[in-house]
Amino acid sequence: MSERRARPEARSTRRSVWRRAPAPPPPSSGTPEPAAEPASGEPAEAGGVVRAALYRDGVRVSSPATLADTYRELRDRPSGMAWIGLARPTEAELLSLAAEFGLHPLAVEDAMEAHQRPKLERYGDTLFVVLRAARYLDAPEEVDFGELHVFVGPDFVITVRHGPAPDLSAVRRRMEDSPELLKLGPEAVLYAILDAVVDGYAPVVAGVQNDIDEIETEVFRGDPEVSRRIYELSREMVEFQRATRPLVGMLHGLIAGFSKYGTDEELQRHLRDVADHVTHTSERVDGFRQALTDILTVNATLVTQQQNAEMRALAQAGFEQNEEIKRISSWAAILFAPTLVGTIYGMNFRHMPELGWGFGYPFALGLMGVVCFGLYVIFKRRDWL
């Protein structure tokens, strides 16, 4: 393993204006023309080395095709800086980088396995940073999360992406358009990557806010599918919290080390701005999760009220049906009494005492009337009629 070079102290005295740095001057005859960045940007899902470049004084001087060429050219240019971008690299590539740049085995293991929480760790003169990038997908209305691992040493920056976000080709182009900033070395690249990740949260926040507004409308409209959407968005907000909350502490940790590591004043201002943005984003995400909890409670209340109203309607319908049944049953019993008397005297048996009685017929009619009237009074008193 080759011995790495310490960063020149002169870098800590340079100043730059972030996002407003002048365009790089035309290269002199002794400086190679920087390779043009492809219009399509760095591929999101391609494995292995995506882009490797060497920089001197903020200008790209070489674009090696392989890691071996990068190592050789970096040794030939002691004052240069290597920026190597990888996407889903193989184990052999990471082990090669670890052997060349002296990366800690634990950090390399994390970069291989991915699925790490956002964190910042220092191994000697190398920083290892894990970031969770996010992007909002308009078509399915979902939040997609990616993972980015960054190794920052005295003269190198290595990025390992697991997922399509963030777009590091845009970060590289922006840095190459700001040579005064790129002169500040690997720290400037790290802060630019942090800024890109945090800026990528803004469209996600806007998309989630729009989703919450739509969900509120659906809740009061009584959409039966809104509960599932609330639950799915709540799960995404939990993931979003896991991405943003640790980042707040990481940035404050970097800010606390400004004096110890002699960080450039312009980078200090830039990092404080990034810390403000991520704090604001974290607070918004916390607010979204609380809002979704409240919306879910309101939706449950509305659903319960709707169910209670339906139950009351069913109970009322059952009560009315029961009243109708009582009326029908009452009249059926009243009409059954004369039918019973008539049926008895209609049997025409020879030995029936009332058949030869002169008052038998009026007696039968009177009996029918008395029984019917008695039943009517009873049912009336019980409110069946």
Side-chain angles (χ1 to χ4, degrees):
M1 180 177 65
S2 60
E3 183 178 355
R4 308 312 308 163
R5 296 162 294 282
R7 185 187 311 163
E9 296 181 356
R11 289 182 178 175
S12 63
T13 62
R14 296 189 177 98
R15 300 291 183 268
S16 63
V17 180
W18 182 257
R19 305 178 192 274
R20 293 185 176 84
S28 61
S29 57
T31 303
E33 177 71 23
E37 191 76 24
S40 60
E42 297 182 1
E45 298 299 330
V49 179
V50 175
R51 175 71 59 185
L54 266 65
Y55 299 89
R56 180 190 295 170
D57 294 329
V59 178
R60 186 193 297 195
V61 296
S62 177
S63 298
T66 64
L67 290 178
D69 293 341
T70 304
Y71 305 154
R72 183 180 63 256
E73 294 187 24
L74 186 59
R75 296 191 192 101
D76 295 339
R77 294 182 171 91
S79 60
M81 177 191 73
W83 184 351
I84 303 172
L86 301 97
R88 305 183 187 277
T90 64
E91 181 177 350
E93 289 171 334
L94 285 176
L95 293 177
S96 173
L97 290 166
E100 177 66 21
F101 295 105
L103 306 181
H104 197 278
L106 292 178
V108 174
E109 182 181 354
D110 288 344
M112 287 180 183
E113 296 180 357
H115 304 292
Q116 304 294 319
R117 64 175 181 83
K119 60 182 178 180
L120 169 67
E121 296 178 347
R122 184 177 292 274
Y123 299 97
D125 59 356
T126 300
L127 277 177
F128 176 61
V129 182
V130 178
L131 303 172
R132 294 292 305 278
R135 59 175 183 162
Y136 185 80
L137 305 179
D138 291 323
E141 295 184 336
E142 296 177 352
V143 181
D144 179 53
F145 295 94
E147 190 168 329
L148 175 65
H149 298 191
V150 186
F151 297 89
V152 181
D155 56 356
F156 67 88
V157 176
I158 302 171
T159 60
V160 180
R161 285 189 294 121
H162 295 274
D167 182 10
L168 294 183
S169 62
V171 177
R172 190 185 293 268
R173 286 193 298 269
R174 189 177 68 183
M175 292 295 289
E176 291 180 351
D177 289 341
S178 305
E180 293 301 318
L181 181 63
L182 196 53
K183 283 182 182 180
L184 300 179
E187 278 188 348
V189 176
L190 172 62
Y191 296 164
I193 293 173
L194 289 169
D195 184 68
V197 171
V198 174
D199 284 350
Y201 294 152
V204 179
V205 169
V208 172
Q209 180 65 68
N210 184 66
D211 286 347
I212 291 177
D213 293 340
E214 292 178 355
I215 286 174
E216 289 177 342
T217 302
E218 293 173 359
V219 164
F220 291 101
R221 189 186 299 162
D223 191 335
E225 296 295 327
V226 70
S227 296
R228 177 184 294 275
R229 189 176 181 188
I230 295 173
Y231 175 73
E232 292 175 349
L233 189 57
S234 296
R235 290 184 59 185
E236 292 176 352
M237 289 304 96
V238 171
E239 290 295 322
F240 208 178
Q241 281 183 322
R242 292 173 181 171
T244 56
R245 276 187 176 178
L247 193 53
V248 175
M250 291 166 51
L251 291 173
H252 283 93
L254 287 174
I255 292 174
F258 283 163
S259 301
K260 181 178 179 180
Y261 297 101
T263 305
D264 180 83
E265 291 182 3
E266 182 64 26
L267 293 183
Q268 293 183 27
R269 288 190 288 268
H270 166 59
L271 186 61
R272 291 192 184 96
D273 180 67
V274 176
D276 290 341
H277 288 171
V278 76
T279 300
H280 176 70
T281 300
S282 181
E283 291 173 351
R284 291 289 303 277
V285 175
D286 292 343
F288 288 156
R289 190 174 181 187
Q290 182 61 46
L292 288 170
T293 301
D294 295 341
I295 292 173
L296 189 59
T297 302
V298 171
N299 182 63
T301 302
L302 293 176
V303 170
T304 301
Q305 291 177 349
Q306 182 179 0
Q307 291 176 344
N308 291 339
E310 292 175 354
M311 292 298 295
R312 285 195 299 269
L314 289 174
Q316 181 65 26
F319 176 76
E320 294 176 355
Q321 184 178 14
N322 188 44
E323 292 297 314
E324 292 295 330
I325 292 175
K326 288 194 296 184
R327 293 188 184 96
I328 295 172
S329 300
S330 300
W331 286 113
I334 293 172
L335 294 176
F336 176 73
T339 303
L340 177 62
V341 175
T343 301
I344 291 174
Y345 288 105
M347 291 188 291
N348 295 324
F349 288 113
R350 178 174 298 179
H351 300 289
M352 290 184 70
E354 291 81 3
L355 292 180
W357 186 29
F359 296 99
Y361 178 69
F363 173 77
L365 293 180
L367 180 61
M368 294 179 188
V370 169
V371 173
C372 290
F373 180 76
L375 291 175
Y376 177 82
V377 172
I378 293 173
F379 293 142
K380 192 69 174 178
R381 289 182 177 178
R382 294 185 178 183
D383 294 328
W384 283 34
L385 292 175

